[in-house]
């Protein structure tokens, strides 16, 4: 007797849809058979005319991000609830950046405590800022704690978070030996420091211009071409950055270099910074020109993963200052990311939310695939239903996508065999687990 059966749906496997019935036992996918005869089962969900997709993975979220004067609006409870409504069953948050190895334990403990309120499964990336310690030691303890990834910044020298190129190279060299994923926020620091523009929202994009991303990506790709290792470039904003990688470093893509982008760069352009409420769209790196956005869309096949970089603040916090430098940077999009991207790209986007992040971030084959032995994480998706985007479940009091319409709606979300969201109502509990990655 199985615990749960999903019947009559079109199941996504190996890039195709097949009429299959999927059965779950003990939180794991136990049987997959052609639709037809129903096997003995405690609970049956009829998925006629629906797509059954693997639970989505968001490899880039910020929860409880503390910026001193500001703290991002979502805690684990609200973020994971919003995520569940969006079909996300696993997300990866960041430990606070550290400069020394001995700070690691405290950062991990802090996050683990916060994450107890999660409705969905979660993992972490280690993060470093102005790192001044032993790279091998840090990676060793991070990996022993189930975190085989480290994030660093090539910018933010003004807030003392920039990595030196010597240290960056040390991380890459270690990555060659240990397969640790090196996550990089790539913007050229000197370019940003030398940009002589007004500190306003209208000029914000010119203060961190497209060229600063493109140049920095070229610079670090050159280092990877020489040293190898595994690099993951977070939140790529410019189509030109991707074209450059594809033209000059094609042989490294999918092997030594992975590319992530985010829904906001596909849906908004820098023109919103001229609007009265431009503050609400401030994030780093900034939104780009329509030309860069079009190129980003043209190059979607080169992008490996879609992460949200979810980091919302409240309207009042965003509007508090006129100076761009004082406004907290970040947007929220966890709840609607898949529908927003499916609306533009259709089925091509599925692997970028499932198989690819699972493989790149060492969650595979536990997550990211519908096959026997994998976690029973599913999204029941109606590709024809129109979703009217509302305020959602984030604790921020505005949603940048509010009132948009998308074709394609997450109807139900299942985490390890238990229904978490059923027909757009939360029915599950906080049973999210820390996923140790190897
Ligand atoms: Zn981020």
């Amino acid at each position: 007797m199985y615990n749960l059966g999903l019947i009559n749906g079109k199941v996504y496997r190996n890039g195709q849809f097949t009429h299959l019935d999927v059965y779950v036992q003990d939180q794991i996918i136990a049987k997959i058979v052609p639709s037809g005869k129903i096997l003995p089962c405690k609970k049956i969900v009829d998925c006629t005319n629906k797509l059954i997709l693997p639970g989505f993975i968001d490899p880039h979220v910020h929860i409880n991000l503390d910026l001193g004067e500001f703290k991002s609006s979502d805690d684990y409870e609200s973020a994971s609830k919003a995520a569940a409504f969006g079909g996300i069953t696993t997300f990866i948050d960041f430990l606070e950046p550290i400069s020394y190895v001995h700070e690691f334990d405290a950062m991990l403990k802090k996050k683990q405590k916060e994450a107890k309120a999660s409705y969905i499964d979660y993992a972490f990336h280690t993060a470093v800022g102005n790192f001044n310690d032993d790279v091998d030691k840090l990676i060793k303890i991070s990996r022993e704690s189930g975190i085989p990834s480290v994030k660093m910044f090539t910018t933010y020298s003004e807030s003392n978070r920039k990595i030196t190129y010597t240290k960056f190279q040390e991380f890459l060299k270690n990555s060659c030996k240990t397969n640790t994923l090196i996550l990089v926020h790539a913007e050229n620091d000197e370019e940003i420091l030398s940009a002589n523009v007004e500190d306003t929202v209208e000029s914000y994009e010119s203060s961190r211009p497209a060229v600063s991303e493109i140049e920095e990506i070229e610079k670090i790709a050159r280092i990877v071409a020489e040293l190898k290792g595994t690099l993951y470039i977070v939140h790529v904003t410019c189509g030109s950055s991707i074209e450059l990688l594809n033209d000059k470093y094609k042989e490294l893509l999918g092997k030594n270099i992975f590319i992530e982008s985010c829904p906001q760069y596909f849906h908004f352009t820098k023109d919103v910074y001229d609007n009265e409420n431009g503050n609400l769209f401030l994030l780093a790196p900034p939104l780009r020109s329509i030309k860069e956005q079009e190129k980003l869309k043209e190059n979607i096949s080169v992008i490996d993963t879609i992460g949200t970089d979810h980091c919302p603040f409240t309207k009042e916090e965003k509007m508090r200052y006129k100076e761009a430098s004082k406004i907290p940077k970040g947007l929220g999009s966890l709840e609607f990311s898949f529908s927003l991207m499916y609306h533009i790209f259709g089925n091509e986007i599925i692997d970028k939310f499932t198989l690819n992040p699972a493989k790149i971030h060492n969650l595979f084959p536990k997550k990211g695939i519908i096959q026997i032995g994998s976690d029973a994480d599913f999204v029941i998706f109606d590709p024809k239903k129109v979703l009217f985007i509302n305020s959602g479940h984030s604790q921020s009091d505005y949603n940048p996508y509010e009132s948009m319409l998308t074709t394609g709606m997450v109807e139900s979300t299942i985490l390890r065999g238990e229904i978490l969201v059923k027909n757009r109502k939360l029915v599950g509990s906080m049973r999210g687990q820390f996923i140790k990655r190897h």
Side-chain angles (χ1 to χ4, degrees):
M1 172 84 86
Y2 296 103
N3 303 116
L4 176 71
L6 306 180
I7 61 161
N8 300 327
K10 287 158 84 180
V11 179
Y12 185 76
R13 299 180 84 203
N14 305 320
Q16 302 176 19
F17 291 97
T18 319
H19 282 280
L20 296 167
D21 294 345
V22 182
Y23 292 93
V24 177
Q25 181 100 55
D26 300 329
Q27 311 189 39
I28 301 286
I29 298 169
K31 198 160 186 85
I32 303 173
V33 291
S35 293
K37 195 169 149 255
I38 299 171
L39 304 178
C41 192
K42 283 184 197 147
K43 193 186 261 176
I44 289 285
V45 180
D46 185 0
C47 304
T48 303
N49 296 327
K50 308 284 158 59
L51 308 182
I52 300 179
L53 309 174
F56 304 145
I57 298 161
D58 189 333
H60 188 158
V61 300
H62 299 279
I63 303 171
N64 288 323
L65 182 77
D66 195 345
L67 297 177
E69 181 179 357
F70 303 101
K71 193 174 180 191
S72 67
S73 310
D74 281 320
D75 55 19
Y76 269 85
E77 182 176 349
S78 61
S80 64
K81 202 187 287 178
F85 277 91
I88 295 162
T89 49
T90 308
F91 51 27
I92 316 183
D93 188 9
F94 294 83
L95 304 188
E96 268 176 50
I98 54 173
S99 306
Y100 298 94
V101 177
H102 69 82
E103 298 168 296
F104 175 85
D105 276 340
M107 293 308 170
L108 178 59
K109 281 206 183 89
K110 186 168 174 265
K111 275 288 168 195
Q112 279 177 324
K113 199 171 154 204
E114 294 170 5
K116 288 210 168 83
S118 186
Y119 284 93
I120 67 167
D121 286 349
Y122 52 89
F124 306 118
H125 300 295
T126 292
V128 292
N130 188 31
F131 189 69
N132 279 318
D133 208 342
D134 190 322
V135 167
D136 293 342
K137 237 189 219 166
L138 177 68
I139 288 186
K140 187 165 179 286
I141 65 159
S142 181
R143 294 191 70 101
E144 281 167 2
S145 307
I147 309 181
S149 52
V150 187
K151 187 204 188 179
M152 51 208 68
F153 307 86
T154 64
T155 183
Y156 297 131
S157 56
E158 80 287 358
S159 56
N160 221 3
R161 279 181 288 169
K162 183 182 184 293
I163 190 91
T164 63
Y165 288 100
T166 318
K167 278 287 173 209
F168 173 62
Q169 291 179 351
E170 276 180 47
F171 274 106
L172 269 187
K173 282 180 192 158
N174 179 293
S175 164
C176 293
K177 290 182 282 178
T178 63
N179 250 331
T180 300
L181 193 63
I182 307 302
L183 280 65
V184 173
H185 171 138
E187 287 183 287
N188 189 276
D189 201 51
E190 285 129 54
E191 193 87 44
I192 292 167
L193 291 176
S194 66
N196 194 12
V197 296
E198 273 179 83
D199 189 8
T200 61
V201 173
E202 290 82 357
S203 307
Y204 176 62
E205 200 269 341
S206 329
S207 74
R208 313 184 78 89
V211 62
S212 72
E213 175 184 287
I214 301 162
E215 268 181 21
E216 191 62 29
I217 286 182
E218 169 143 45
K219 194 168 177 180
I220 57 177
R222 220 181 297 137
I223 301 174
V224 175
E226 190 195 321
L227 297 179
K228 302 295 185 287
T230 324
L231 180 79
Y232 179 92
I233 311 173
V234 296
H235 53 48
V236 175
T237 66
C238 298
S240 297
S241 305
I242 296 171
E243 275 181 0
L244 180 141
L245 287 170
N246 208 27
D247 288 348
K248 289 194 175 173
Y249 299 97
K250 203 180 174 98
E251 72 286 357
L252 300 177
L253 297 182
K255 216 170 91 194
N256 302 102
I257 298 181
F258 296 96
I259 303 169
E260 175 196 271
S261 190
C262 319
Q264 49 273 31
Y265 301 114
F266 292 86
H267 281 273
F268 306 117
T269 64
K270 65 175 183 173
D271 299 334
V272 299
Y273 295 135
D274 294 329
N275 299 346
E276 224 172 276
N277 66 351
N279 295 39
L280 299 181
F281 293 84
L282 224 66
L283 78 169
L287 300 170
R288 300 302 183 191
S289 65
I290 181 88
K291 203 173 123 236
E292 285 299 343
Q293 186 184 63
E294 277 165 8
K295 267 197 213 177
L296 200 61
K297 289 181 184 167
E298 282 162 27
N299 285 283
I300 187 69
S301 64
V302 190
I303 296 170
D304 297 288
T305 64
I306 301 296
T308 55
D309 199 3
H310 183 81
C311 191
F313 294 88
T314 64
K315 242 184 211 172
E316 186 282 319
E317 289 170 326
K318 289 292 235 190
M319 302 304 287
R320 195 178 297 171
Y321 295 107
K322 284 202 162 49
E323 299 92 331
S325 61
K326 292 186 181 170
I327 299 166
K329 317 289 185 304
L331 295 184
S333 63
L334 256 175
E335 185 159 349
F336 303 101
S337 59
F338 184 81
S339 289
L340 285 164
M341 295 304 283
Y342 186 85
H343 183 74
I344 307 177
F345 298 106
N347 294 335
E348 189 184 359
I349 211 70
I350 299 171
D351 284 346
K352 302 179 201 303
F353 281 82
T354 55
L355 193 65
N356 297 356
K359 285 188 168 168
I360 295 166
H361 294 281
N362 299 44
L363 291 159
F364 184 83
K366 187 176 170 64
K367 306 286 188 190
I369 190 165
I370 298 177
Q371 71 176 22
I372 291 171
S374 293
D375 279 2
D377 298 345
F378 306 102
V379 175
I380 302 176
F381 188 75
D382 190 330
K384 297 219 170 79
K385 243 189 203 146
V386 173
L387 172 70
F388 176 77
I389 296 185
N390 58 15
S391 55
H393 296 82
S394 162
Q395 283 181 151
S396 165
D397 56 358
Y398 79 98
N399 171 6
Y401 302 92
E402 198 159 349
S403 306
M404 284 188 187
L405 294 172
T406 67
T407 304
M409 185 169 95
V410 172
E411 207 173 80
S412 300
T413 305
I414 295 166
L415 174 72
R416 284 181 281 105
E418 233 170 72
I419 303 176
L420 184 50
V421 171
K422 189 181 181 185
N423 296 322
R424 305 209 53 76
K425 283 202 177 62
L426 185 75
V427 294
S429 55
M430 287 173 187
R431 49 188 279 283
Q433 284 178 355
F434 173 49
I435 307 294
K436 279 193 166 195
R437 299 177 293 136
H438 298 288

